[in-house]
Amino acid sequence: MTVSEAVSGFIPQGKMPVATLLPFTATPNRKSASPTSFRLTEKFILLLVFSAFITLCFGAIFFLPDSSKLLSGVFFHSSAVETNTHTGPDSSDAGSAGNDDRLLAKIKKDHEKALLEAKDTLQKLPDVIQNDILADKAKVTKESMGKGAKDGNNLPFIEYHRPPGATGLEPQDPETRERRAKIKEMMKHAWDSYKQYAWGSNELRPVSKHGHSSNLFGSIKGATIVDALDTLYIMEMFEEFDAATDWVEKSLDFNVNAEVSVFEVNIRFVGGLLSAYYLSGKEVFRRKAVELGEKLLPAFKTPTGIPWALLNLKSGIGRNWPWASGGSSILAEYGTLHLEFMHLSRLSGNSEFAQKVMNIRKVLNRLEKPQGLYPNYLNPNSGQWGQHHVSVGGLGDSFYEYLLKAWLMSDKTDEEGKKMYYDALQAIETNLMRKSTNGLTYIAEWKGGLLEHKMGHLTCFAGGMIALGADGAPGDKTGHQMEQAAEIARTCHESYARTTLKLGPEAFRFDGGVEAIATRQNEKYFILRPEVIETYMYMWRFTHDPKYREWGWEAVQALEQHCRVDGGYSGIRDVYASSPNYDDVQQSFYLAETLKYLYLLFSEDDHLPFEHWVFNTEAHPLPVIRKDKTDRPNEVE
């Protein structure tokens, strides 16, 4: 019997009468002309009998399992009870009567036990009783969750609290409200097209109108669905969100014999599932995220603990990209796991996730950094740097982002992450940041001590990153870092403005009199990337300078004019051509990042506020882990 049942049930004050029912007859010397003529003692005996009978009924109803069937059998000899009490097809009536006696004895025994528990409960203070009830509730929830979990994934009970700002109010300014509504319509077009032509596939081919699957995900399906979950929720597209949730519950399968990119699966699938859980509170997302996280753990089975880039989810065998400097792991890949894995530990109760990513820092801190810089390649067997190539764009970018965001996500308690970030940023400023002849600030790439004056579209995220970290900058560098962020945002805008289609190339250069223009054919493509929009969004939040919204709206118009097709949105092969030549891929990150950042650019600041949320590198919002909750590890805020 639970505490709550004892409190709410019938609690007699005296000792429980015996279960044997007294006959309604007077003793030989007692007159019994009518019930009303009973003496006081007889009335007391009758009251006692009725009390015993009523108590017997209440005990059977409230304290015995399946009591409705039991009472039916005792009083009406129903077939239901016979089915439960008969030991075989040859059971006799005498056996049945014996079973009834045993059942009555069980009623008495269980009822007496219940009364003792109730008496003990009533001696407790009210707040102790309330705590006991809550503990019983948590235990039942945990047990039922464990029974329903898959793959032995028995998760601890989490008291879910949705962080503030999961959805936001309409902007007050009519033009801003209209622009935000337009971006929501773009999301609906991208989503509806995917649902119509590629449902269940990883991505959509919007021109040829069928599914597309990258080898990055092996044979895992549904990358666009998982990547888009939080965007659908944030935009209050709840009907679409529910359809996506249903697919995740029924069809998202990680039991595949296939090799996947640990990095891409982590940032898109794990990040997307975690974010969907924190926004909606639906347990299916937590369960799936932890299940996938556990399947990624074998990637860390290297001599140093630096994970492999590629992992077979069934065999647990890992390897690195064959082109990566002597079998090295890549900085941006092994350095972009921290946010997700810290939350996996928190939601699963398994500290191994956090230990794996903290070990990566230990390895890095033991190494000498050339000029304070982190090379893009690290051998997971020897623990030594590979080729000395440094980039804040491809191969390096999100490592730096996660150092800063680890500190922010920890409620600014992760001092190691903070120090690593600001030290790295200082080395980047000293060695990689340059100004062009006409005053455009850019971040070059470093190869063995020589600079390549090229900046990738991926590097354009750095404007937003520097702005996000400026407030915590050491000394008096806050204003200086905000100026750097604004200059990078301007340079990246110029890379868009100087193309024919007003969409930015994959990379642009600053040499031979050229500034912010792609000079090589294999750098002229645009695949719906979000990094420039991301920086506009951060700069708007921190400065409210209207030019960032105007620049974002310019990008919206270019996307609508040149990338939108009947079947969704497509990337473009050459942004300097007079008309678009489509690559026929609607990337999952277009829904996860580009459209989300555009929507937030035209939203109020209380929508996913930075003091409560940190975005992973795929724009999946994860809540800040409050330091004042450390003594209550099973509660999420």
Side-chain angles (χ1 to χ4, degrees):
M1 180 188 70
T2 65
V3 176
S4 56
E5 287 173 329
V7 173
S8 62
F10 175 76
I11 311 293
Q13 296 298 316
K15 183 179 178 182
M16 167 66 187
V18 294
T20 305
L21 303 182
L22 298 176
F24 282 80
T25 57
T27 56
N29 62 347
R30 182 178 298 166
K31 294 181 181 180
S32 56
S34 69
T36 56
S37 66
F38 288 157
R39 293 193 302 272
L40 182 61
T41 56
E42 292 172 330
K43 290 179 180 180
F44 177 78
I45 291 172
L46 280 174
L47 180 62
L48 201 61
V49 169
F50 276 110
S51 298
F53 183 77
I54 293 170
T55 304
L56 177 66
C57 295
F58 271 87
I61 293 171
F62 289 106
F63 302 123
L64 289 181
D66 210 10
S67 57
S68 60
K69 291 183 180 179
L70 181 58
L71 287 174
S72 176
V74 171
F75 296 113
F76 304 104
H77 298 286
S78 73
S79 59
V81 172
E82 289 169 7
T83 301
N84 290 331
T85 59
H86 289 178
T87 58
D90 297 329
S91 297
S92 64
D93 291 340
S96 178
N99 284 329
D100 286 348
D101 291 339
R102 286 193 295 273
L103 288 170
L104 287 171
K106 182 173 178 5
I107 291 173
K108 176 184 175 182
K109 182 178 179 181
D110 288 351
H111 195 185
E112 288 176 343
K113 179 182 177 183
L115 289 173
L116 288 173
E117 291 179 0
K119 184 178 179 181
D120 179 64
T121 296
L122 291 176
Q123 293 175 352
K124 297 181 180 179
L125 295 174
D127 58 340
V128 175
I129 295 174
Q130 182 65 23
N131 288 336
D132 287 345
I133 293 172
L134 292 174
D136 283 350
K137 178 182 175 183
K139 181 180 178 182
V140 170
T141 304
K142 179 179 178 180
E143 288 173 352
S144 63
M145 187 189 308
K147 291 176 182 176
K150 297 179 180 179
D151 299 324
N153 195 2
N154 297 320
L155 300 179
F157 171 72
I158 295 289
E159 186 174 349
Y160 173 76
H161 296 281
R162 181 179 291 106
T167 56
L169 300 174
E170 287 283 335
Q172 296 182 354
D173 175 60
E175 182 182 63
T176 304
R177 190 162 59 243
E178 181 181 339
R179 290 179 173 183
R180 192 175 81 146
K182 172 60 182 174
I183 294 155
K184 182 174 179 178
E185 185 277 328
M186 294 168 70
M187 177 65 183
K188 183 166 177 57
H189 177 62
W191 175 260
D192 288 348
S193 298
Y194 167 79
K195 188 172 183 181
Q196 181 175 356
Y197 302 117
W199 186 248
S201 297
N202 280 318
E203 290 169 323
L204 165 68
R205 290 197 176 275
V207 177
S208 51
K209 297 181 180 178
H210 61 76
H212 165 69
S213 287
S214 166
N215 61 3
L216 295 172
F217 314 116
S219 51
I220 298 177
K221 302 298 182 185
T224 291
I225 296 175
V226 178
D227 238 358
L229 279 164
D230 51 12
T231 308
L232 294 171
Y233 193 96
I234 289 162
M235 293 186 181
E236 300 182 51
M237 298 171 64
F238 296 126
E239 183 178 340
E240 291 85 350
F241 179 82
D242 289 342
T245 303
D246 185 64
W247 186 91
V248 167
E249 186 137 31
K250 295 177 180 177
S251 303
L252 182 59
D253 183 15
F254 304 129
N255 296 309
V256 296
N257 183 13
E259 196 174 59
V260 303
S261 163
V262 173
F263 164 74
E264 294 288 352
V265 166
N266 175 64
I267 66 170
R268 302 197 204 199
F269 282 91
V270 177
L273 292 166
L274 289 173
S275 181
Y277 167 71
Y278 283 119
L279 289 167
S280 71
K282 293 183 181 291
E283 276 294 321
V284 61
F285 299 127
R286 178 166 77 120
R287 200 169 65 242
K288 290 284 188 180
V290 174
E291 178 191 345
L292 179 54
E294 289 174 345
K295 288 186 174 293
L296 295 179
L297 286 175
F300 293 84
K301 291 181 179 178
T302 66
T304 59
I306 298 295
W308 301 112
L310 302 169
L311 180 72
N312 184 295
L313 291 184
K314 183 175 183 180
S315 69
I317 296 174
R319 68 183 179 97
N320 277 333
W321 298 104
W323 48 263
S325 183
S328 290
S329 298
I330 296 169
L331 182 68
E333 296 192 342
Y334 67 77
T336 310
L337 303 167
H338 192 100
L339 302 186
E340 297 84 2
F341 274 52
M342 294 301 284
H343 273 286
L344 285 176
S345 270
R346 189 168 181 81
L347 294 184
S348 69
N350 181 0
S351 61
E352 186 176 4
F353 293 108
Q355 290 166 0
K356 297 296 187 188
V357 291
M358 293 307 291
N359 177 67
I360 292 172
R361 286 192 186 171
K362 291 179 182 177
V363 174
L364 292 175
N365 284 332
R366 285 197 298 262
L367 289 168
E368 184 177 346
K369 269 70 74 177
Q371 308 295 319
L373 298 168
Y374 290 83
N376 291 338
Y377 300 108
L378 177 63
N379 190 295
N381 293 312
S382 67
Q384 298 300 312
W385 300 119
Q387 179 184 1
H388 281 196
H389 174 209
V390 177
S391 170
V392 185
L395 307 182
D397 49 8
S398 46
F399 164 73
Y400 305 99
E401 174 188 1
Y402 270 38
L403 292 177
L404 170 65
K405 290 181 176 179
W407 174 57
L408 296 174
M409 194 180 78
S410 72
D411 207 8
K412 299 184 178 179
T413 61
D414 182 359
E415 292 295 329
E416 180 183 57
K418 176 183 180 182
K419 183 179 188 307
M420 291 174 72
Y421 168 72
Y422 288 111
D423 287 351
L425 185 60
Q426 182 58 56
I428 289 167
E429 179 181 355
T430 301
N431 296 285
L432 305 182
M433 279 194 191
R434 296 291 183 267
K435 273 190 184 292
S436 71
T437 304
N438 292 314
L440 293 179
T441 298
Y442 62 97
I443 304 176
E445 298 190 5
W446 189 81
K447 293 184 177 179
L450 299 176
L451 283 185
E452 184 179 14
H453 297 272
K454 176 187 77 170
M455 185 168 175
H457 192 291
L458 288 166
T459 318
C460 285
F461 91 96
M465 176 185 74
I466 295 170
L468 181 63
D471 187 53
D476 57 353
K477 292 188 176 180
T478 295
H480 172 64
Q481 290 189 6
M482 282 304 300
E483 290 175 6
Q484 286 180 326
E487 289 173 4
I488 291 170
R490 175 175 167 242
T491 298
C492 292
H493 174 255
E494 286 300 313
S495 77
Y496 274 53
R498 297 181 186 195
T499 69
T500 305
L501 302 181
K502 306 305 177 187
L503 294 166
E506 182 68 5
F508 44 94
R509 296 183 177 264
F510 298 86
D511 52 21
V514 168
E515 294 191 0
I517 293 175
T519 58
R520 303 182 185 183
Q521 191 59 42
N522 65 355
E523 296 173 349
K524 294 182 178 181
Y525 61 88
F526 172 74
I527 57 172
L528 307 173
R529 286 203 188 276
E531 288 77 19
V532 174
I533 307 297
E534 177 182 359
T535 282
Y536 293 166
M537 188 275 291
Y538 280 105
M539 294 305 297
W540 163 258
R541 283 278 181 101
F542 288 117
T543 70
H544 284 184
D545 187 329
K547 72 183 177 188
Y548 296 113
R549 280 184 165 172
E550 289 306 312
W551 289 354
W553 188 245
E554 289 173 11
V556 167
Q557 293 173 304
L559 287 166
E560 285 293 275
Q561 184 176 352
H562 303 301
C563 298
R564 183 167 179 149
V565 294
D566 288 343
Y569 290 85
S570 172
I572 293 170
R573 299 186 189 278
D574 186 348
V575 292
Y576 299 95
S578 57
S579 60
N581 179 13
Y582 300 118
D583 68 7
D584 197 18
V585 178
Q586 179 177 282
Q587 306 278 349
S588 77
F589 56 67
Y590 179 66
L591 291 80
E593 300 186 75
T594 309
L595 292 176
K596 183 187 289 130
Y597 283 136
L598 280 169
Y599 190 77
L600 293 174
L601 175 62
F602 294 102
S603 296
E604 298 298 320
D605 293 356
D606 63 354
H607 199 174
L608 296 177
F610 295 160
E611 61 266 32
H612 293 287
W613 298 91
V614 172
F615 294 89
N616 88 336
T617 198
E618 190 79 2
H620 295 308
L622 300 172
V624 170
I625 299 173
R626 295 297 174 197
K627 59 186 176 184
D628 58 352
K629 298 291 184 181
T630 53
D631 58 333
R632 294 151 68 185
N634 285 345
E635 184 170 318
V636 174
E637 178 164 352

